Amino acid sequence: MNQAAHLRVERIAVRYGRIDALHPISFDAAPGSLTLVLGPNGAGKTTLVKALAGAVPLRAGRVLLGGGDISWVPAHRRVRRGIALVPEGRGRLPGLSVRDNLVLGWHAAARDRRASRGDDLAAALDLFPALKQRLDQDCSTLSGGEMQMLAIARALLAKPVVLLLDEPSLGLAPLAVARVYEALAKLVAGGLSMVLVEQKAVPLRSSQESTIVLQNGRVVFQESRRPTSEELAALYLGERAA
Amino acid sequence: MGGTARRRLEAAILAVIVVGVAIVPLTHSRLLLYNFTITPIYAMVVISLNIVLGTAGQVSFAQTTFMAIGGYGSALLTTRLGFNPWLALAASAVLALATAEIIGRPLLRLRGHYLAMATFALALGTNSFVTAATPLTNGSIGISGVPALAIGGLSFDDPVNFYALCWIMCALAMAVYALLVRSHIGRAWRALATGQDIAATLGIDVTHYKVLAFAIGAVIASLAGSLYVEYTSFVGPDLYDIGIVLNILLMLFIGGRGSHVGPVIGAALLTLAPQLLAGLERYQNLVFFIFLLLLILIWPAGLFGRVRDSGPLETMLPAWMRRRRREAGP
């Protein structure tokens, strides 16, 4: 498979001032793989995806994409390399229409990877038809579920090889969560490598998947299987008692 | 009011402006002609602020700094070095562009209040500098006798010609603004205005686009600064004092951030306000500020700004009045 899309994370750590937000963490994400990152609030999940997206600087370690070191590549250029982030809170940009959002995503893609603007937008809207009637509306008028779909569509238009998603189900109604995960399942099946942050177990499955559980910035579980709900409860509560 | 309705309103206002600009010289009123020559000049400065603040969302007080570069640049280059006024105008604009590039990079790494404070210091510093640097700027006395612009035999010494020139330059600035906001640059500016971190993860080089807004704004403000000085043939520190800094900000907030015609309307209203309210004598300022307060309460986004900023008027009523209104309803 396409080796250029292989994400390798080597002992990366992040520090905010004097606080270690993320202790050294390593993992590999091959094309078509799903890396699930679980953990309670403040565990360092958002910090991890931000570090991969280049939004926070690394204190130690390296991020390699297709064998090339991108640790020092700034956020806006990592997108062109193929790492797209669907940020926590759905990345709302009030004042911009749905179409503006999608076009921004399209502009972020590397030229050799994208098709014409019309074709790429049409493909994104096929995946999220609910956005079709909303194209000229201000994105701040969208419902939570629609905004999440827009954030994912926007990130996909950047033609990523690795898609980072930060709690896409947060604050969404169960039906909207189901719709979002339906779309994500199609993307994983399509060979996109995905790093998915959530607080709870998710319905999404992949043949190549691994799960990382973070607690207070440390890896407390890292295996190719999912933790059972009892294990997860113990992991979440265990550290708190200690 | 949706996007289409807003565009229609702006087009209608634009038509009113065009008709107004055509009528003013026919009145042969020198005062009116003076006011409506100053209006497009300030409108250009407001357009430049509309790019930086109204579109890219960077709170900057530095527009008077770039006006001063244009004004003093034109005055010094023509009176001391004998430059052609057009060349002086262009050279000053290039200097403003270079200054914006150099100071913009470190300055625009700051956000929100910090950027506002830093640019405020820049505006105050500019005023102090031109007052103190007597050998260069003649201090608070200023420089007079700045020669007028001319094209071949057409002299802009004539007030009506200069009036036309200022409106042409203002129309060009409006066109530049309209083209920019519709392009990818404008989309990137609007994105970084509301979510800088999100913009970065969408491939937008945030610093680059901020400096771009700052630099384009600097050139427009410098051109306006040069025009003003060419018009009055005089430059002095008072043209760039704190009152002017605030006036420019008020013009934008009254006219409406992110609007096409707002800067012109804001500049016209503030330029004409002293005459419109002259009959009120010592209550002039009081009435003006009451009007301003009401305007900001009712239209927080300005007359032609985006409506989404304003909340319903009802929320301004005290709680007991709101309750009564609800009971009265169906």
Side-chain angles (χ1 to χ4, degrees):
Chain A
M1 231 183 166
N2 183 9
Q3 276 313 298
H6 193 105
L7 177 74
R8 170 164 276 177
V9 178
E10 290 181 352
R11 296 189 59 76
I12 62 164
V14 177
R15 202 163 202 193
Y16 295 137
R18 300 177 65 176
I19 297 158
D20 285 308
L22 189 66
H23 290 273
I25 172 171
S26 303
F27 65 89
D28 264 341
S33 70
L34 169 67
T35 307
L36 185 61
V37 181
L38 299 173
N41 274 332
K45 309 184 298 292
T46 295
T47 302
L48 172 63
V49 285
K50 275 190 172 175
L52 297 178
V56 295
L58 298 182
R59 178 174 139 71
R62 297 198 301 168
V63 178
L64 302 156
L65 186 67
D69 190 347
I70 58 163
S71 310
W72 298 103
V73 175
H76 66 267
R77 275 198 253 136
R78 276 192 211 194
V79 193
R80 265 188 211 6
R81 297 282 192 99
I83 297 187
L85 170 68
V86 178
E88 192 179 10
R90 302 161 206 144
R92 290 173 68 250
L93 291 170
L96 269 72
S97 69
V98 170
R99 191 193 305 275
D100 281 338
N101 273 274
L102 296 174
V103 172
L104 277 175
W106 181 80
H107 263 282
R111 278 173 206 280
D112 56 339
R113 250 183 270 149
R114 71 188 183 197
S116 80
R117 191 164 123 175
D119 289 353
D120 274 355
L121 252 62
L125 291 171
D126 277 346
L127 191 64
F128 298 108
L131 298 175
K132 256 180 211 161
Q133 293 94 47
R134 307 245 184 261
L135 273 175
D136 292 309
Q137 282 180 25
D138 189 319
C139 70
S140 58
T141 64
L142 297 184
S143 71
E146 286 166 339
M147 187 60 227
Q148 190 59 264
M149 289 174 197
L150 176 59
I152 295 170
R154 190 175 68 186
L156 288 175
L157 276 159
K159 299 287 155 130
V161 290
V162 179
L163 183 66
L164 312 169
L165 294 129
D166 196 353
E167 298 204 38
S169 69
L170 190 70
L172 293 190
L175 191 64
V177 174
R179 288 228 179 95
V180 166
Y181 271 101
E182 207 176 288
L184 294 183
K186 279 185 204 162
L187 296 173
V188 171
L192 190 70
S193 168
M194 200 177 281
V195 177
L196 174 62
V197 164
E198 281 287 6
Q199 287 206 32
K200 292 173 287 193
V202 295
L204 193 63
R205 294 279 172 187
S206 160
S207 52
Q208 321 171 53
E209 63 168 59
S210 62
T211 303
I212 296 169
V213 179
L214 291 175
Q215 172 67 273
N216 286 329
R218 284 174 210 279
V219 176
V220 291
F221 179 97
Q222 184 166 17
E223 288 185 43
S224 57
R225 66 176 181 92
R226 300 264 170 116
T228 63
S229 50
E230 291 78 22
E231 272 179 309
L232 205 55
L235 289 167
Y236 277 27
L237 296 168
E239 281 283 310
R240 207 174 292 166
Chain B
M1 184 165 59
T4 331
R6 217 171 76 104
R7 269 195 294 279
R8 274 196 204 125
L9 177 68
E10 292 221 66
I13 297 295
L14 187 64
V16 171
I17 293 171
V18 170
V19 172
V21 167
I23 288 173
V24 165
L26 303 176
T27 63
H28 296 289
S29 155
R30 293 181 78 181
L31 183 65
L32 214 55
L33 194 66
Y34 169 81
N35 279 324
F36 280 102
T37 306
I38 297 300
T39 295
I41 295 176
Y42 274 116
M44 285 171 72
V45 183
V46 182
I47 289 166
S48 78
L49 184 64
N50 197 21
I51 291 174
V52 179
L53 192 155
T55 310
Q58 305 305 306
V59 182
S60 170
F61 294 97
Q63 296 324 103
T64 52
T65 300
F66 300 116
M67 276 179 82
I69 291 175
Y72 276 96
S74 278
L76 289 171
L77 290 173
T78 51
T79 59
R80 301 264 171 98
L81 300 175
F83 270 48
N84 172 293
W86 287 106
L87 190 62
L89 176 123
S92 308
V94 171
L95 184 66
L97 177 71
T99 310
E101 280 282 340
I102 293 164
I103 61 174
R105 279 197 184 269
L107 215 58
L108 289 162
R109 289 184 187 279
L110 299 172
R111 295 193 194 190
H113 301 103
Y114 302 104
L115 178 64
M117 286 313 293
T119 52
F120 196 60
L122 196 64
L124 292 179
T126 302
N127 184 243
S128 306
F129 173 77
V130 295
T131 310
T134 317
L136 185 70
T137 63
N138 224 4
S140 51
I141 299 160
I143 303 164
S144 41
V146 181
L149 293 159
I151 302 176
L154 182 67
S155 168
F156 291 102
D157 223 356
D158 178 69
V160 177
N161 286 354
F162 200 87
Y163 167 85
L165 173 71
C166 289
W167 279 106
I168 289 167
M169 296 285 270
C170 179
L172 285 176
M174 284 173 85
V176 166
Y177 175 80
L179 287 175
L180 283 171
V181 291
R182 286 179 58 185
S183 70
H184 181 63
I185 295 171
R187 208 180 292 117
W189 280 340
R190 281 183 290 141
L192 75 88
T194 47
Q196 187 171 319
D197 297 322
I198 298 164
T201 63
L202 285 169
I204 294 164
D205 184 346
V206 170
T207 309
H208 169 78
Y209 278 101
K210 281 189 197 173
V211 174
L212 188 65
F214 204 58
I216 294 171
V219 170
I220 297 175
S222 165
L223 291 174
S226 289
L227 281 177
Y228 193 100
V229 169
E230 300 284 1
Y231 181 52
T232 60
S233 77
F234 168 80
V235 67
D238 292 353
L239 299 181
Y240 315 107
D241 69 9
I242 189 71
I244 305 291
V245 174
L246 292 178
N247 260 350
I248 292 162
L249 218 68
L250 282 179
M251 287 171 183
L252 181 63
F253 275 71
I254 291 173
R257 281 152 285 153
S259 127
H260 294 271
V261 295
V264 181
I265 300 298
L269 283 179
L270 246 73
T271 307
L272 294 176
Q275 266 98 53
L276 292 174
L277 303 172
L280 299 165
E281 291 173 10
R282 61 205 163 105
Y283 296 107
Q284 192 181 314
N285 282 347
L286 181 69
V287 171
F288 174 72
F289 286 114
I290 289 172
F291 162 77
L292 191 65
L293 200 62
L294 285 175
L295 187 90
I296 290 195
L297 279 171
I298 299 168
W299 287 291
L303 293 175
F304 305 103
R306 287 173 177 273
V307 174
R308 73 187 159 82
D309 290 358
S310 47
L313 273 174
E314 197 188 305
T315 57
M316 277 177 239
L317 298 173
W320 60 272
M321 281 175 81
R322 266 183 273 163
R323 215 174 302 132
R324 184 167 292 182
R325 276 174 57 112
R326 207 170 297 147
E327 277 161 20

